[in-house]
């Protein structure tokens, strides 16, 4: 397609722009600190090479990883710019020295010892983050190095790193070392022994609404506490000396404007309190740490998305093998069906089973969720229903059996909406049972009206004790039974407007004189015409049963 030929144009523009940036930086190198200049050039080179590589080898992972690395390098450059002063051009510096009296001139050092130490720490954080990616391990090694480095660079006696658990709204201690007098109230039944107190803190969790840790996480502002006795947020757990609170530094770890954790440093009672300089060092190192953690988080998100995409692709291919290859020819019935599977989704299932001479069973299911777990539920349902529809049991009993089988699997938390229809061709009667919200509609030729004949009930797989109910109806020639999944009526167009149940029924009524296959085809074409370029967010399945 013509649009495909321009798909990588933005990447080529990015590569060219990055190359021009390198030239400009090199031409104005005297205006930048050497370390900052080197970092900026490395970023531009990474972006340029990655963009060209992605054009030649279309893959998401290389460009995503490179952008994450470029982001951390840019942050390192920005922090370096903050803690060091850029070198001035020689002519400008000489002129400035001539204008300013000798006794007021300040010597500009290329890089201070503190700056070098911070840069080395940032480099170590980045290397550890990279090792974490290659080893596919958790954040523990990185957080331990962050904590140990902060303790060393600030002269703290102990420190801890706490991360936010966004699902529980709590802070969890992830790294801990040294002597850290707890600034929170200890449990009343906890013995005041050093090892017991340290163990308690090492495995503690703190609500975001409580303690000084939560206050810093919620406000997003760091705190330098030099007088703990006058700070109501600091809890004293005396009388033991090792419990007496001294000076503290609390710094939030941020990714953009989102707080992901808190760094805490301590000095015991009686020692010199932390200074403003040490607080700034802790802040700079925390910025480095946040950037390194961001790399790991970004990598984990990319890998999780990649794995989910692969899993969904496999599941959808298997899902496509489950429905009948061809609709069976059944005397007295005209059948129609269509199924459109959405990318990355695996949820819909339908089946037509000529179970016995006096029973044809029709099944339509919509499994919640996506991927392999949904496929597993689908396969289990298919197997159970195919085995049990051959019995003399009613539709409700069969569905109740399937429900108990699915709900008994405690390791699976998925469920499904299922419609089961048993048609007795000899007596022209239909028996239905439904679990969940999958609707069954009946068009009566005698009244030229469509009515809903199913009820909403508990989905299959939620509650093991659920018992479903039978509903029996007589049908006449030219009556039409319709069942569908919600992906049909919720299909959006490019303006976000959904297809709707009303439009579906209008198409069916307008084509009621056609065969079941033709009615299903009319609905399918109308949905495609309505949605146009709109994205398909869910599977779409429709089953038409016309009585002849």
């Amino acid at each position: 397609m013509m649009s495909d030929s321009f798909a990588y144009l933005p990447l080529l523009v990015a590569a060219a722009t990055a190359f021009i940036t390198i030239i400009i930086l090199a031409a104005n190198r005297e205006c930048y600190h050497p370390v900052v200049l080197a970092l900026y050039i490395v970023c531009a080179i990474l972006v340029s090479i990655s963009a060209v590589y992605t054009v030649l080898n279309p893959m998401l992972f290389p460009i995503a990883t490179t952008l994450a690395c470029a982001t951390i390098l840019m942050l390192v450059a920005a922090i370096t710019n903050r803690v060091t002063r850029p070198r001035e051009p020689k002519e400008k510096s000489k002129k400035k020295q001539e204008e300013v009296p000798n006794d007021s001139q300040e010597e500009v050092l290329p890089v201070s010892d503190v700056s070098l130490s911070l840069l080395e720490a940032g480099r170590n954080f980045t290397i550890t983050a990279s090792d974490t990616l290659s080893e596919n391990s958790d954040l523990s090694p990185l957080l331990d190095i962050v904590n140990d480095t902060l303790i060393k660079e600030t002269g703290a006696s102990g420190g801890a790193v706490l991360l936010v658990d966004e699902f529980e709204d709590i802070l969890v201690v992830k790294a801990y070392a040294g002597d850290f007098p707890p600034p929170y109230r200890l449990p009343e039944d906890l013995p005041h022994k050093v090892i017991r107190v340290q163990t308690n803190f090492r495995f503690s969790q703190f609500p975001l609404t409580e303690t000084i840790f939560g206050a810093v996480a919620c406000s997003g502002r760091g705190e330098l506490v030099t007088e703990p006795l006058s700070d109501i947020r600091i809890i004293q757990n005396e009388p033991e000396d090792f419990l007496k609170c001294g000076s503290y530094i609390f710094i939030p770890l941020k990714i953009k404007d989102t707080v992901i954790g808190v760094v805490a440093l301590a000095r015991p009672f009686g020692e010199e309190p932390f200074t403003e300089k040490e607080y700034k060092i802790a802040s700079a190192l925390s910025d480095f740490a946040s950037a390194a953690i961001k790399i790991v988080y970004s990598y984990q998100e990319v890998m999780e998305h990649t794995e989910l995409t692969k899993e969904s692709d496999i599941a959808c291919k298997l899902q496509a093998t489950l429905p009948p290859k061809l609709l069976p020819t059944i005397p007295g019935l005209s059948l129609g069906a269509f199924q459109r599977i959405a990318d990355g989704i695996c949820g819909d299932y339908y089946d037509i089973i000529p179970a016995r001479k006096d029973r044809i069973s029709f099944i339509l299911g919509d499994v919640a969720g996506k991927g392999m777990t949904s496929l597993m539920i689908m396969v289990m349902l298919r197997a159970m229903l195919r085995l049990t529809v051959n019995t003399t049991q009613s539709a409700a009993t069969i569905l109740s059996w399937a429900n108990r089988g699915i709900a008994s699997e405690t390791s699976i938390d998925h469920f499904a909406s299922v419609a089961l229809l048993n048609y007795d061709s000899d007596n022209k009667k239909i028996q239905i049972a439904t679990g969940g919200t999958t609707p069954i509609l009946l068009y009566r030729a005698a009244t030229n009206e469509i009515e809903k004949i199913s009820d909403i009930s508990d989905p299959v797989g939620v509650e093991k004790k659920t018992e479903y109910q039978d509903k029996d109806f007589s049908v006449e020639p030219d009556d039409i039974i319709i069942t569908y999944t919600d992906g049909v009526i919720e299909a959006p167009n490019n303006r976000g407007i959904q297809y709707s149940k009303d439009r579906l029924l209008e198409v069916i009524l307008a084509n009621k004189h056609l065969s079941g296959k033709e009615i299903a085809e009319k609905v399918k074409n109308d949905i495609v015409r309505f949605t146009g370029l709109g994205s398909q967010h869910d599977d779409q399945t429709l089953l038409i049963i016309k009585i002849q």
Side-chain angles (χ1 to χ4, degrees), residues 80-134:
T80 303
N81 219 27
R82 189 179 77 172
V83 299
T84 63
R85 288 195 290 180
R87 295 173 60 186
E88 297 179 337
K90 294 180 180 178
E91 294 182 0
K92 184 177 179 181
S93 177
K94 183 177 180 181
K95 183 178 180 181
K96 183 176 180 181
Q97 289 180 2
E98 293 175 353
E99 293 175 352
V100 181
N102 291 334
D103 57 353
S104 64
Q105 289 182 5
E106 295 182 0
E107 182 181 2
V108 180
L109 298 177
V111 183
S112 67
D113 291 341
V114 173
S115 300
L116 285 173
S117 181
L118 292 178
L119 288 172
E120 180 65 19
R123 186 181 73 87
N124 290 338
F125 292 170
T126 306
I127 292 173
T128 306
S130 299
D131 291 342
T132 298
L133 303 185
S134 60

Side-chain angles (χ1 to χ4, degrees), residues 157-335:
S157 63
V161 179
L162 301 86
L163 294 185
V164 175
D165 186 328
E166 58 184 351
F167 297 105
E168 300 291 341
D169 288 334
I170 57 176
L171 280 164
V172 181
V173 178
K174 293 293 185 178
Y176 169 74
D179 298 325
F180 193 97
Y184 59 93
R185 191 175 304 281
L186 294 173
E188 294 183 1
D189 59 348
L190 181 70
H192 285 196
K193 304 294 183 181
V194 175
I195 188 64
R196 296 295 299 274
V197 172
Q198 289 179 345
T199 302
N200 173 265
F201 182 55
R202 191 183 301 274
F203 298 99
S204 290
Q205 298 178 352
F206 304 97
L208 290 177
T209 56
E210 300 176 10
T211 73
I212 182 68
F213 306 119
V216 171
C218 290
S219 67
R221 296 190 301 270
E223 296 283 352
L224 172 60
V225 179
T226 57
E227 298 180 1
L229 294 177
S230 60
D231 194 322
I232 61 173
R233 298 169 301 175
I234 305 298
I235 305 299
Q236 299 286 344
N237 294 286
E238 302 183 45
E240 290 80 5
D241 288 342
F242 79 93
L243 292 178
K244 292 182 179 180
C245 295
S247 180
Y248 293 95
I249 291 177
F250 301 97
I251 305 290
L253 295 171
K254 293 183 178 180
I255 295 178
K256 294 184 178 179
D257 294 327
T258 302
V259 175
I260 61 170
V262 174
V263 165
L265 301 165
R267 279 183 182 168
F269 178 79
E271 291 190 8
E272 285 293 321
F274 289 114
T275 64
E276 189 68 29
K277 177 182 178 182
E278 289 157 344
Y279 174 81
K280 290 181 178 179
I281 291 173
S283 297
L285 287 173
S286 296
D287 287 342
F288 280 125
S290 298
I293 294 171
K294 170 61 175 175
I295 291 178
V296 179
Y297 279 175
S298 298
Y299 174 80
Q300 290 174 343
E301 289 176 4
V302 170
M303 292 305 296
E304 181 180 356
H305 176 75
T306 302
E307 289 301 319
L308 286 175
T309 300
K310 290 180 179 178
E311 181 182 288
S312 295
D313 288 344
I314 294 172
C316 288
K317 289 178 181 178
L318 293 174
Q319 177 191 8
T321 67
L322 297 181
K325 291 289 186 294
L326 296 172
L327 295 180
T329 300
I330 300 174
L333 294 180
S334 176
L335 305 180

Side-chain angles (χ1 to χ4, degrees), residues 307-308 310-319 344-346 367-380 412 414:
E307 289 301 319
L308 286 175
K310 290 180 179 178
E311 181 182 288
S312 295
D313 288 344
I314 294 172
C316 288
K317 289 178 181 178
L318 293 174
Q319 177 191 8
I345 305 296
C346 178
V367 182
K370 58 183 179 179
M372 295 303 293
T373 305
S374 295
L375 179 66
M376 184 165 36
I377 296 292
M378 196 180 300
V379 172
M380 291 171 64
I412 301 175
H414 282 49

